[in-house]
Amino acid sequence: MADHWIENHKRDTWRRQAKASGYRARSAFKLKQIQERFKLIDKGDVILDVGCFPGGWTQVALELVGEEGDVVGVDLEPCQPIEGAVLLVGDITDPHTQDKVLAYLNGRQLNSIISDISPNITGKWDMDQAIAMTLVTEVFDFALPFLCKGGHFVTKLFQGVGVEELINAVRPHFEDVRRHSPHASRNSSSEVYLICRRYQPWAVADVNISDTYELELNKKLSGEDIEEGPEIIKSSFSVRKKKTE
Ligand SMILES: C[S@@+](CC[C@H](N)C(=O)[O-])C[C@H]1O[C@@H](n2cnc3c(N)ncnc32)[C@H](O)[C@@H]1O
């Protein structure tokens, strides 16, 4: 009960701060703290903000890229306009939405992809977590080919099955991949951010994070990496049906 009260209190503190600073969501502070720690976004950068509604991360990204930069946000929910940003409505996994993003970029590469995406929560934790992981792999597959050499990728994850497998799947593509929990999200025990720095497009020819992830996960879940069992020796043992009277 006491822990619950402290969590709510912290959450309210960030919410109040967000309101006072003009940010649309307290999540704005998570990106600010990630930026303070990792210095990912520079003036003039082109940024894709995935799952941008209501726009807190977009606001912070705009401040960081300045007037010469560009921020394009995508969400299932329509956002109120934010001056200086392009906000698209649609499902990031839908090819139509992806085409809209690419049309806007018009051949320009992304300096960073920032994704705070979280699917609708059904309340069944295992299922929600699994759906969230798959969604993240799909965002990687779509956006990674448009990330510039040396670019960065930040994404929210929910702790649970598959996190290690996802990290293993993306690690070869970046110089540095690590988990990070900004202060503003420490009250949400399950949430963590994956900070992937300095994209190395030359390191792996084929970008297919979803397939690599699924393969690794299936291996783990089916226990393929468990040592093979002993050879089965033929036996003359058999089960006979008991004769009925
Ligand atoms: C935690 S909110 C993002 C908050 C945002 N970063 C901010 O600071 O205002 C997560 C968002 O992900 C969006 N989302 C979930 N699935 C999506 C999908 N397939 N395509 C686009 N957006 C999605 C949800 O609509 C939701 O608005």
Side-chain angles (χ1 to χ4, degrees):
M1 188 65 186
D3 283 355
H4 191 62
W5 184 86
I6 292 168
E7 271 184 23
N8 283 341
H9 178 71
K10 280 192 204 159
R11 225 174 259 155
D12 287 348
T13 307
W14 290 116
R15 204 169 283 141
R16 271 199 302 275
Q17 276 199 43
K19 212 170 166 196
S21 339
Y23 292 126
R24 291 182 180 182
R26 65 185 175 88
S27 50
F29 291 102
K30 300 177 195 173
L31 183 60
K32 276 175 97 71
Q33 289 164 4
I34 290 170
Q35 171 70 9
E36 267 162 35
R37 170 88 166 74
F38 297 100
K39 312 265 182 293
L40 304 175
I41 301 176
D42 287 321
K43 286 257 174 284
D45 277 358
V46 181
I47 309 289
L48 173 63
D49 180 4
V50 182
C52 63
F53 177 87
W57 278 32
T58 305
Q59 290 176 300
V60 173
L62 272 173
E63 284 170 12
L64 296 168
V65 300
E67 280 187 5
E68 59 284 26
D70 220 335
V71 180
V72 53
V74 189
D75 203 290
L76 296 168
E77 301 281 335
C79 284
Q80 290 293 325
I82 301 177
E83 204 188 323
V86 168
L87 301 170
L88 305 172
V89 183
D91 178 345
I92 193 65
T93 65
D94 178 344
H96 290 110
T97 312
Q98 297 177 348
D99 285 347
K100 284 198 256 177
V101 174
L102 299 183
Y104 177 71
L105 288 176
N106 194 20
R108 285 176 306 161
Q109 285 197 306
L110 295 161
N111 296 98
S112 282
I113 297 146
I114 54 175
S115 172
D116 197 22
I117 200 165
S118 41
N120 280 340
I121 304 296
T122 68
K124 289 183 183 145
W125 168 250
D126 291 353
M127 194 167 85
D128 289 340
Q129 195 265 349
I131 292 170
M133 292 299 292
T134 305
L135 195 55
V136 168
T137 63
E138 290 176 30
V139 175
F140 266 109
D141 281 342
F142 160 60
L144 212 46
F146 308 104
L147 187 61
C148 72
K149 175 183 154 209
H152 314 296
F153 199 125
V154 175
T155 184
K156 176 157 71 189
L157 298 180
F158 294 99
Q159 296 278 24
V161 176
V163 170
E164 288 304 326
E165 286 67 28
L166 178 71
I167 293 176
N168 290 342
V170 300
R171 185 162 273 141
H173 299 272
F174 292 89
E175 218 176 285
D176 186 67
V177 175
R178 62 183 67 196
R179 273 175 267 200
H180 177 68
S181 212
H183 280 292
S185 79
R186 285 198 184 146
N187 49 347
S188 163
S189 53
S190 60
E191 173 184 285
V192 70
Y193 287 86
L194 196 64
I195 315 286
C196 309
R197 289 187 292 170
R198 299 182 291 278
Y199 180 47
Q200 3 186 62
W202 60 89
V204 186
D206 190 21
V207 176
N208 198 329
I209 302 296
S210 306
D211 283 358
T212 317
Y213 170 72
E214 289 296 331
L215 212 73
E216 290 292 315
L217 196 60
N218 285 341
K219 243 198 258 174
K220 181 182 182 172
L221 298 180
S222 65
E224 252 183 53
D225 47 359
I226 296 172
E227 268 184 54
E228 269 182 31
E231 204 182 324
I232 295 165
I233 298 161
K234 275 192 182 164
S235 142
S236 56
F237 176 82
S238 63
V239 179
R240 290 203 189 137
K241 265 193 174 174
K242 199 178 167 187
K243 275 188 190 157
T244 43
E245 296 297 307

